[in-house]
Amino acid sequence: MRICLLTLTYPPASTEGIPRQRRTLGVELARMGHEVHVVTCGVRTHTWEDEGVAVHEIAVPATRRYSPRYPAIDQTLARSQALYEGLAALAARPPDVVDVPLWAAQGFVTHQRYAGATALWLQTTRAQIHAINGQRLSRDDRAHLDLERICLGRAHGLLSDSRAALGSVRRDYGVEPGGPTEIVYLGLPPLAGAMANRPAREWVEALVVGRLERRKGTPLLLELLPRLLHRHPRLRVRFVGGDNSANDGWQERYGKTYPDSFRARHPELVGRVSFEGYVDDGRLAACYRQADLLLAPSLYESFGLIFLEAMRAGLPVVTFGVGGAAEVFARGEVDGALLARPGDAAGLGEALGRLAEDEALRHRLGQAGLVRFEEAFTAEAMARGTLRFYEGLAERRRPAPGCPPAVYQVMEALDAGDAVSDIARSGARMLGAAGHPPVILTRRVPAGMEREAAPLERVLDTPDAALILHYWGLSTATWMLGAVWGRKALYYHNITPPHFFRRGTPIHQSLARGYAQLRRIADSFNLLLGDSRYNLTDLAPHLSRPLPAMHIYPVVEPAELQCAPYDQGLLERLRASGETNLLFVGRIAPNKRQDLLMRAFDRYVGECNPQARLWLVGSETFDPAYRRALEELRRSLASAERIVFTGKVPEAVMMAHFRGASALVCASEHEGFCVPVAQAMAFDLPVVAYAAAAVPETLGPS
């Protein structure tokens, strides 16, 4: 299978429970021969390999303002969007299944937009943490819970690390899963010689692993420790994990972190209680080797990866029999743990005292836990159980064979008189006649053309639709590549190379980003279309593998053009002037080289024909700086009064210019096809053009 795991963080950046589970599962699935990708957030966008797993780190941009009413969710949505964009970059071969944790609604955007199979992995919920901490839900808290509730409703299947976690989700969010659910216990790879090198010493070390916070039982344990340490002189305690007192109300109440609070209250115990803070994997493994037992005072764990780490290392466990612990140690001592009743601090202390004073008991429980681990909680067992769920989920989501129910054309913006828009509008008429939606999905549409367009989100109503993406620069519609599972065609109309524009200008940056985006998405398609062979040749370097391709020249019907309405008054004036009218059609842009045309025209007027006029027809808003430079050039030429910039004109005016021209002239250095050249040929109008890019292909032998 092709599997993608999403996670906000990933080792070595974080060694907390979720990122460790993501890595363990991914590495084991890759070892079993599956193609595994991990998408995670980071400070820069890059990809590396981790024991057969392709890890794609995606930079999270400065937080956007998604919701002025709920600013607290902006970072949540920004990170969720980054994860989705990393997933969408894999759309060349979409994963068979995407697995994303519920925590922090990190899969919110993916569940909204990705049409393939999505598995939502359940752990301790935000709602449960608020309840344990005794915190009232603020408006922002409720907004976060609503995002998580939406994830639960849109996921195609729920994968839980314990029955306790699944039950908690049902209770806390009031959601009954609409798709399949499965309990798959966490797992870890076994250690060689787990019981070796346990140090011989006069004291007994209890290891506490995890964040210092209320849910993990930190306040309860710090209250209990002084009595326990006085009662058991050989006992020492090592805390490993970051302090979270700023978020669970402790600092607000006492003004200190957990370690500082304990040291201030019990300076006499500083030598027997150590706080190491957050540690990396290597140091964590050393802590397990040096410890004699694991002390886990958590008020609730959906599963508890720390239990497996201790069992694997041959350590006995002391914890409350609640949540995942009751399932991991279902038979108590037989499975390697002393379980206290939930919330029974005295019982927890008594169990800890038993282990601290009884080396034989520690050894017996450690051995029992190791056996239990090897029987039920290996990484291989976790991967096989998870894989069975993935296979069933992917089979349920696999689209039925046959023609897609809809074929949509997609483009960044629709415009009147624009060559790409004309191609898409013609395609829409043909698709409509074939029974497909006749609308074009786009972000922007001019007044009067609203009936021809629909919002991009319309595609979500038909997730098995096929797409034709018209591309000529940076597009905000590429999220669709992961949102639908139908076939996809890239209709490439060429991107103007950015070197024609001044570096640092918005248009230069946009075109450069367009080429960068093209490299990321080019492999995502089943078919490549181009306006010319030149365009397909220009596209080829951005592909990493061969794809079916065909060029489709834009349709220019001579009969239709010659019957099209035209401005009769303008045509009469052009003909009555007795002048030689030279015509250029195209937007005012540096690659079109109107400056070269103007200089050539000035020489033509001075040396050959003083009764000529140059008409430059096209939009003047593309590059205002270039337009100003052309105006300065025009004023410097002797033929200045015979050079006319018309701006963008109605279709009828354009047709009059074609009818009244003596020749079409074109000095453009970059054209993907050049429709005006084909239109000139349809009017039997001579063409004088610079033989660059696709222009020779368009003119052919004419």
Side-chain angles (χ1 to χ4, degrees), residues 404-408 437 459-467 483-488:
V407 178
Y408 280 111
V459 76
L460 298 176
D461 297 336
T462 317
D464 49 350
L467 299 180
V484 298
W485 60 65
R487 291 179 177 271
K488 303 169 185 71

Side-chain angles (χ1 to χ4, degrees), residues 409 414-417 421-429 440 449 452:
Q409 293 187 102
L414 188 63
D415 198 4
S421 295
D422 287 343
I423 291 170
R425 295 171 76 186
S426 174
R429 290 190 292 271
I440 299 166
M449 297 175 63
E452 299 182 48

Side-chain angles (χ1 to χ4, degrees), residues 8-74:
L8 291 177
T9 55
Y10 187 82
S14 173
T15 57
E16 293 185 340
I18 291 178
R20 276 188 286 163
Q21 187 271 349
R22 303 279 87 180
R23 182 180 187 274
T24 301
L25 178 61
V27 169
E28 187 63 25
L29 288 170
R31 190 189 65 78
M32 294 165 62
H34 300 279
E35 182 181 344
V36 182
H37 297 262
V38 169
V39 177
T40 186
C41 296
V43 296
R44 65 187 181 96
T45 297
H46 67 296
T47 297
W48 79 92
E49 183 177 326
D50 179 19
E51 295 192 36
V53 176
V55 182
H56 310 273
E57 185 174 313
I58 308 299
V60 181
T63 303
R64 290 175 47 191
R65 292 301 303 274
Y66 287 94
S67 174
R69 188 177 179 189
Y70 297 99
I73 69 173
D74 287 345

Side-chain angles (χ1 to χ4, degrees), residues 25 98 139 181 197 222 227 282 290 535 553 561 566 634 682:
L25 178 61
V98 176
R139 186 179 68 170
T181 62
N197 302 320
L222 294 187
R227 294 193 301 273
Q290 295 165 7
N535 278 357
Y553 293 133
L561 282 179
Y566 58 90
R634 188 187 72 84

Side-chain angles (χ1 to χ4, degrees), residues 4 30 39 56 74 119 174 179 208 264 267 275-276 281 344 365 372 376 449 463 494 520 531 566 579 654 666 668 698:
C4 182
V39 177
H56 310 273
D74 287 345
V208 183
F275 297 89
E276 292 206 13
D281 282 342
D344 181 3
L365 294 189
R372 169 75 167 150
M449 297 175 63
N494 212 291
R520 293 195 300 270
D531 305 295
Y566 58 90
E579 296 176 331
M654 180 84 72
C666 175
S668 179
T698 303

Side-chain angles (χ1 to χ4, degrees), residues 243-317:
D243 178 82
N244 197 34
S245 57
N247 295 317
D248 71 352
W250 181 269
Q251 279 197 44
E252 182 180 355
R253 184 175 181 183
Y254 297 105
K256 292 184 174 66
T257 65
Y258 283 113
D260 288 344
S261 296
F262 186 82
R263 294 183 188 115
R265 291 180 183 179
H266 306 285
E268 76 283 3
L269 297 176
V270 168
R272 296 176 62 190
V273 178
S274 61
F275 297 89
E276 292 206 13
Y278 178 83
V279 300
D280 61 21
D281 282 342
R283 176 58 187 154
L284 183 62
C287 288
Y288 277 110
R289 288 195 301 270
Q290 295 165 7
D292 296 290
L293 63 97
L294 178 75
L295 173 57
S298 298
L299 304 182
Y300 180 85
E301 293 280 357
S302 66
F303 180 83
L305 198 60
I306 56 173
F307 299 146
L308 305 193
E309 291 173 336
M311 297 160 75
R312 180 180 65 171
L315 291 184
V317 176

